[in-house]
Amino acid sequence: WDGMVENMTDKFRVIRFDFPGNGLSGLDSQNRYSPKLYGKIITRLTDALDIDIFHLVGTSSGGTVAFRYVANNPDKIDRFVLINSAGMPRTAVTNPNRERGSTFGRWVASKHQSMDWWRSSLTSTVTKRPPFDWHVEMNYDMNRRDDRYETGLLFRRNYITGDPEAVINQITEPTAILWGMDNPT
């Protein structure tokens, strides 16, 4: 997002943050990882910064939080962008709690994801071409923290799909939905 932010800061105040246990944000001392809590974090953040109305961009698992936030807080949103969002009805392929790979492979992934693993993951899910070295290193560094794997599992287990179509149908604010043709889920 760095390049995009550079192009937007002349017209917008840009605020980027990570939810607990993601990116550079610390862990939640109470282990409350859920879309519902993350929606409350958006409210607390915008209230603390005295932001009444804003544009919101949600991508991947953040899209799950974002579209629910927009549906529940229409008076706070001016424009909304949803990119390759998680949170749609689950199938055997899109269920985030599905078992992936072998038992041994899952154990290894829970303990360590090498630079090569990140290069492969970013290539298959984000870039479709070899990613820049700095992008691989950033993802590798931000995902080496203790409890990273468990935090993701807690978030996925605490996510209740419900009827996302009904939630999205409540959104009346101008919305752009971007979905890459090669997005795997």
Side-chain angles (χ1 to χ4, degrees):
W1 291 95
D2 292 343
M4 292 183 76
V5 168
E6 289 174 15
N7 291 324
M8 294 184 338
T9 53
D10 60 331
K11 293 184 180 180
F12 300 97
R13 176 183 181 192
V14 178
I15 300 167
R16 300 182 296 174
F17 68 97
D18 291 310
F19 293 120
N22 290 283
L24 299 176
S25 292
L27 299 172
D28 177 7
S29 62
Q30 298 177 33
N31 273 347
R32 300 168 299 163
Y33 302 101
S34 70
K36 186 174 182 177
L37 171 68
Y38 294 0
K40 289 179 183 178
I41 290 172
I42 295 171
T43 297
R44 290 180 186 150
L45 176 64
T46 56
D47 287 350
L49 296 174
D50 199 29
I51 300 170
D52 296 324
I53 298 174
F54 55 96
H55 305 306
L56 183 63
V57 177
T59 182
S60 191
S61 61
T64 300
V65 175
F67 73 72
R68 291 179 185 286
Y69 183 87
V70 173
N72 291 319
N73 299 279
D75 55 319
K76 293 183 122 331
I77 303 299
D78 187 46
R79 302 271 192 280
F80 177 46
V81 179
L82 187 62
I83 305 171
N84 290 341
S85 179
M88 298 301 125
R90 293 181 179 169
T91 66
V93 173
T94 62
N95 182 349
N97 295 313
R98 71 189 180 277
E99 292 201 1
R100 302 170 195 186
S102 67
T103 301
F104 177 72
R106 288 191 305 276
W107 178 83
V108 169
S110 75
K111 303 300 179 196
H112 178 71
Q113 294 166 334
S114 68
M115 293 276 244
D116 286 340
W117 186 93
W118 279 105
R119 186 174 311 285
S120 175
S121 177
L122 290 167
T123 300
S124 67
T125 61
V126 179
T127 64
K128 299 300 177 213
R129 64 187 187 313
F132 295 110
D133 288 341
W134 65 264
H135 195 199
V136 174
E137 291 171 18
M138 178 184 70
N139 280 273
Y140 173 77
D141 287 343
M142 288 196 311
N143 286 282
R144 289 179 22 200
R145 67 185 325 134
D146 291 339
D147 298 327
R148 168 206 42 85
Y149 186 75
E150 290 79 10
T151 299
L153 285 176
L154 283 170
F155 178 83
R156 291 189 301 273
R157 286 185 184 136
N158 290 332
Y159 178 70
I160 298 167
T161 302
D163 185 357
E165 186 176 340
V167 174
I168 289 173
N169 284 337
Q170 294 175 30
I171 297 173
T172 58
E173 293 65 37
T175 302
I177 299 176
L178 308 172
W179 196 274
M181 294 297 291
D182 292 326
N183 188 286
T185 51

